[in-house]
Amino acid sequence: MAPATVLCIGMAGSGKTTFMQRLNSHLHAQKTPPYVLNLDPAVLKVPFQPNIDIRDSIKYKKVMEEYNLGPNGAIVTSLNLFATKIDQVINLVEKRSENLKHCIVDTPGQIECFIWSASGAIITEAFASTFPTVIAYIVDTPRNTSPTTFMSNMLYACSILYKTKLPMIIVFNKTDVKDAEFAKEWMTDFEIFQQAMQSSDELNEETGNGSGYMASLVNSMSLMLEEFYSTLDVVGVSSFTGAGFDDFLKAVDNKVDEYNEFYKAERDRIIKAKEEHAKKQKQKELSSLMKDLGIKDKKAAGVEVLSDLESEDEGEGLVEPDENEFKAERSYTFPEDRYAEIDENTEDDLQARYQSAFEQTAKTADSKTAEDIAKYIRQS
Ligand SMILES: Nc1nc2c(ncn2[C@@H]2O[C@H](COP(=O)(O)OP(=O)(O)OP(=O)(O)O)[C@@H](O)[C@H]2O)c(=O)[nH]1
C-alpha cells in the first residue's frame, strides 16, 4: 500500500518542526514508524532523525556565499538543487513503501520559498503523483486570536490549497497555551466570527466603528472562506503534550480517502487530457509532414493511425489529393522520378522514412517543451 504523505506547511514559528517531532514519536509509539524528510535547508537543529535531510546534500551557507544570495534566495536555490534529484528521493521512499503507513515532510518556514517556487511545485507534484498526499497547515493558535490575523492566515491557507490542489488539514497547534475551540467556532458559525470582528479593537482602530471599507471587505471575504472551510478537516493539537494527535491521524485517513476518491481522479484526468493533447498534436504534425513529403500510400507508410484524427478534424488530417492537382502543385519539390520512387517503395522502406520523419518531429516538439519549461521557470 502506498504510504500517506503529509507535507507540513506553516508560517515561521508556527511549530512545524516540533509538530514533526511529536508526530514521529507518536507513530513510533504505535509501532508504525514513518519515513521522515527534512526539506528545510536553513534549520540549525532537527529534533528528530530524518531518513532524508536536504542538509546532507546541500550546504545552505555555501549556497549563500557561492551564489551571493540572501537567506530566502539561498533557500529557493537549495530547493532547486534538491528538486533535480527528486526522482531518486521518490525511488527511495517507494522502495520502503511496503512497510510504511506514513511519510512526513518538514518544509521551510518561509512558506513562499516552498509553495510559490518552481522547485516547491516540482517536489510537491512528485509526491502527489506517486503517493496519496495531504497538506497539514500548521497554525500558531495563541497568535491567531485576533479575527483579522486569523482571517489573513486562513486566506493564506486558501491560496495554498488553490496552488497545490491537495486535500488539507488545518492543525491548530499549541493548544496547551490556547484552546482551539474559538477558532473552530469561527470556522463553523459565521455570525460568531462577525461578532468577533465587530468587537475587534484592531478593526475598529482602522475604521472608526467597524463599519468602513475594511469591515465590508472582511465580511465579503469571510463568506468566501465559509466555502473554503467546508473542504477542510480541522484539528487542535499540542506538540508539547501530544494532545490531539490521534484526531490528527484520523483526519489524515479521512483526507487520504478523499484524495483517492476525488483528487486522484482529477489529477489523472488532467494528466490524461495533457497526454492526449500532446498525442493529437504529434499526429497533426506528422500528418502535415506526410503531406509535405508527398507520401500517397498511407497504408504502406503506416499512417492508418491518423484515421481517428481525419474523421474528427476534417481537412487537417492527411487528405487524399486529386492525382493531377497533386503532381502540378508539388512538381517543384519532388521531381517526377521521385514520385515514381515513392510509389514503388516497399513497405519497409516507407516505414523507415516514416520513422525518421516522426523522430524529427518528436525532436522539435521536445525541444519546444524544454524551451517552454525554461520560460516558465524564468517567469516564476
Ligand atoms: N507551548 C507550545 N509551544 C510550542 C508548541 N509547538 C512548538 N512550540 C514552540 O514554538 C516555537 C517554534 O517552534 P518550531 O517547531 O521551531 O517552529 P517552526 O514552524 O518549525 O519554525 P521555523 O523552522 O522557523 O519555520 C518553539 O519555541 C517551540 O518550542 C506547542 O505545542 N506548545
Side-chain angles (χ1 to χ4, degrees), residues 10-19 40 43 106-110 173-177 237-241:
M11 306 259 180
S14 56
K16 293 177 296 300
T17 309
T18 320
F19 174 81
D40 187 351
V43 71
D106 195 8
T107 61
Q110 288 72 2
N173 191 24
K174 311 191 186 181
T175 52
D176 52 301
V177 178
V237 302
S238 165
S239 304
F240 269 9
T241 66

